[in-house]
Amino acid sequence: MSSQFFSEVPGRISIAGPGSSDPLSFKVYDPDRIVLGKRMEDHLRIAVAYWHSFASSGSDMFGSGTWDRPWIDAPGDEMDGARAKMAAAFEFFAKLGTPFYCFHDRDVAPDGASFVEFRRNLDALADDALGYQERTGVSLLWGTANLFSHPRYAAGAATNPDPAVFAYAAAQVKNMLEVTKRLGGSNYVLWGGREGYDTLLNTDLRREGAQLARFLHLVAEHKHRIGFEGMLLIEPKPMEPTKHQYDSDAAVVHGFLVRNGLEGEYKLNLEANHATLAGHSFHHEVAYAAANNMLGSVDANRGDPQNGWDTDQFPNSVEDLVMPMYEILRAGGLGTGGFNFDAKLRRQSIDRTDLFHAHIGGIDTLATALLAAADLVGRARLAAMVEERYAGWSGPLGESILAGKLPLADLSARVESGEIDPHPVSGRQELYENVVNQHIWTARVGDGSEG
Ligand code: XUL
Ligand code: CO
């Protein structure tokens, strides 16, 4: 295993178990452990994000980069730098031992002086990526085009007041969709970073909605034209960088797709911190997607309860992840999706080895949540309690109402006659909370995870 950039981690991260004192080992994650009949690795389908971990130097709006990332200032021209970055990325993926990665076109390829030059750069680097994928066995979970960093996208991409910007974005997505297909990507993501507005005073909402719908139709058409078999995914986020982003949350995106005849073409890539920015729990977003057959993939991270922005920290709370994981298991899993660490180190975590600590902690947190959620699914107590709560809807009255057999007048007559006389029943929220906690505790002490 080559050790060009991460020599402090000589080989692959070991699967050491909960008693291990080696910080560079997994304590809970064990790819081959069978959970509800499936390998843990195949449940979680972990991916590392190229942008936060390899294309960024830790700069923020108040200061320049702090992280020790020699590949970013590698000697030679821009393409030499891009190749050093890719070498670092694949060395990291192979040592972490997780199966997937994700990238934006611009994370990998230098802009060049024109669109054609950018495409040539990306094509050459995609050839390199194919070689790395073959040698390491690491695959592409999803590709995406960055339609938000360049100044041309300041007023949006598809929703720009200038159709020339729409066209440029279309060219970029066409190209990246084809690159994603060539790399065997499992999905393609669209995050509308600047598809929104900073002020309504200069914004025509009706036009911008129509433009966005047209763009999504074009992307779906091209997907079918080139025979890309992966899922198209939209990633909701309510704001940042714009004041308001159109793809605010799972329900808003779902409604937009249905209204515009796009249902079935797109699913959702849900990010935990984006849910909290939208004023929802992550559980809410996942439950909504699962209930509407919109579950695609997850960007795993967490926000900070005291900060109102996208802090993109690595997940470390099992409590926060058990119920999203439960919904995912009950929906039959993420399919071609997975858990992508759209998370970044804190600015003071300057060592390259900190990248390993962050991912190991995040992965062990997901693994523990998976065990607790599998226990909840396996023992089926929560599901039985919910089923019982709605039992009336499977009885004669509930079924007749849902089948449209009882008009308002009939229902009213039955109430007036006293035949129908409901009595309040307890919602038992505290009991439900106790049941969930019990499963988290048993997963932690390593009992009963196989349900
Ligand atoms: C930004 C964000 C993006 C998308 C991909 O908040 O989450 O990195 O995941 O464009
Ligand atoms: Co994301």
Side-chain angles (χ1 to χ4, degrees):
M1 189 169 283
S2 86
S3 260
Q4 203 182 338
F5 291 106
F6 295 99
S7 49
E8 282 181 27
V9 182
R12 205 171 158 129
I13 298 298
S14 61
I15 317 291
S20 168
S21 58
D22 176 6
L24 290 166
S25 70
F26 291 113
K27 317 295 180 297
V28 184
Y29 182 66
D30 176 354
D32 291 324
R33 177 166 176 175
I34 302 295
V35 180
L36 298 177
K38 196 157 114 181
R39 293 173 64 247
M40 196 179 251
E41 181 176 83
D42 300 332
H43 275 288
L44 296 176
R45 296 167 58 83
I46 300 287
V48 176
Y50 215 94
W51 51 102
H52 288 310
S53 290
F54 303 102
S56 170
S57 58
S59 60
D60 65 15
M61 59 275 231
F62 298 100
S64 51
T66 54
W67 297 334
D68 174 30
R69 300 286 183 269
W71 55 86
I72 288 187
D73 308 308
D77 66 12
E78 280 191 325
M79 283 300 277
D80 292 333
R83 290 200 182 92
K85 198 196 310 181
M86 189 172 284
F90 276 89
E91 182 185 336
F92 181 82
F93 303 154
K95 286 183 171 172
L96 190 65
T98 44
F100 293 104
Y101 72 110
C102 300
F103 72 99
H104 302 80
D105 49 1
R106 282 186 52 155
D107 301 334
V108 160
D111 273 353
S114 66
F115 181 78
V116 172
E117 204 176 306
F118 174 62
R119 194 173 58 194
R120 202 179 308 130
N121 290 344
L122 183 56
D123 275 342
L125 289 157
D127 289 341
D128 292 357
L130 264 181
Y132 278 112
Q133 289 184 188
E134 270 164 31
R135 290 193 294 281
T136 58
V138 175
S139 314
L140 182 61
L141 184 66
W142 49 262
T144 187
N146 177 329
L147 306 179
F148 45 88
S149 292
H150 194 279
R152 80 173 66 83
Y153 295 125
T159 62
N160 201 287
D162 180 358
V165 177
F166 180 110
Y168 204 102
Q172 216 182 313
V173 170
K174 172 184 179 289
N175 189 48
M176 187 55 189
L177 192 55
E178 290 167 5
V179 167
T180 301
K181 176 176 186 257
R182 187 149 70 87
L183 294 178
S186 299
N187 310 276
Y188 184 87
V189 165
L190 292 117
W191 172 60
R194 295 190 196 270
E195 311 291 24
Y197 59 79
D198 290 325
T199 173
L200 277 171
L201 298 180
N202 66 9
T203 303
D204 185 332
L205 282 181
R206 190 193 53 78
R207 278 182 190 279
E208 296 203 2
Q211 290 168 218
L212 185 56
R214 186 87 295 273
F215 195 84
L216 295 179
H217 274 293
L218 291 177
V219 175
E221 279 163 28
H222 194 68
K223 166 195 153 151
H224 295 301
R225 185 165 305 145
I226 64 174
F228 175 61
E229 286 177 4
M231 272 308 300
L232 296 175
L233 304 174
I234 295 179
E235 182 174 325
K237 186 177 183 182
M239 64 184 106
E240 198 210 8
T242 51
K243 168 189 157 60
H244 173 84
Q245 193 179 308
Y246 297 132
D247 294 335
S248 320
D249 65 13
V252 165
V253 174
H254 180 227
F256 184 86
L257 292 172
V258 172
R259 261 195 327 280
N260 289 288
L262 286 156
E263 214 186 358
E265 293 288 8
Y266 289 86
K267 289 194 174 180
L268 297 168
N269 182 40
L270 298 169
E271 178 164 326
N273 204 162
H274 295 179
T276 51
L277 290 181
H280 303 308
S281 64
F282 186 46
H283 182 195
H284 168 93
E285 289 292 86
V286 175
Y288 181 89
N292 290 283
N293 194 27
M294 291 295 290
L295 211 46
S297 199
V298 169
D299 270 7
N301 61 15
R302 76 178 203 272
D304 182 304
Q306 274 86 51
N307 290 156
W309 70 84
D310 199 12
T311 62
D312 279 344
Q313 287 163 259
F314 280 79
N316 75 346
S317 161
V318 174
E319 274 76 1
D320 286 350
L321 287 165
V322 169
M323 292 316 294
M325 202 66 91
Y326 175 76
E327 303 291 348
I328 290 167
L329 287 176
R330 287 192 21 113
L334 287 174
T336 61
F339 284 86
N340 166 50
F341 282 104
D342 195 351
K344 63 179 181 225
L345 293 171
R346 297 306 88 190
R347 203 157 173 273
Q348 296 179 54
S349 304
I350 60 176
D351 294 345
R352 282 171 250 170
T353 310
D354 289 320
L355 278 173
F356 281 96
H357 296 309
H359 283 87
I360 289 169
I363 291 166
D364 273 338
T365 301
L366 288 175
T368 311
L370 173 69
L371 293 177
D375 195 31
L376 264 173
V377 171
R379 293 181 202 262
R381 189 154 159 226
L382 198 62
M385 286 161 62
V386 176
E387 191 67 29
E388 193 195 321
R389 187 161 183 248
Y390 290 88
W393 287 99
S394 307
L397 176 63
E399 284 189 342
S400 306
I401 292 173
L402 290 180
K405 292 179 184 156
L406 291 174
L408 282 191
D410 289 21
L411 290 170
S412 178
R414 291 202 196 183
V415 171
E416 282 166 36
S417 73
E419 182 194 332
I420 291 178
D421 184 17
H423 296 284
V425 291
S426 174
R428 294 212 171 100
Q429 180 171 336
E430 296 77 8
L431 174 60
Y432 282 80
E433 289 167 352
N434 291 353
V435 170
V436 172
N437 275 342
Q438 186 186 350
H439 288 267
I440 294 174
W441 296 329
T442 53
R444 282 227 167 94
V445 297
D447 166 42
S449 55
E450 251 73 42

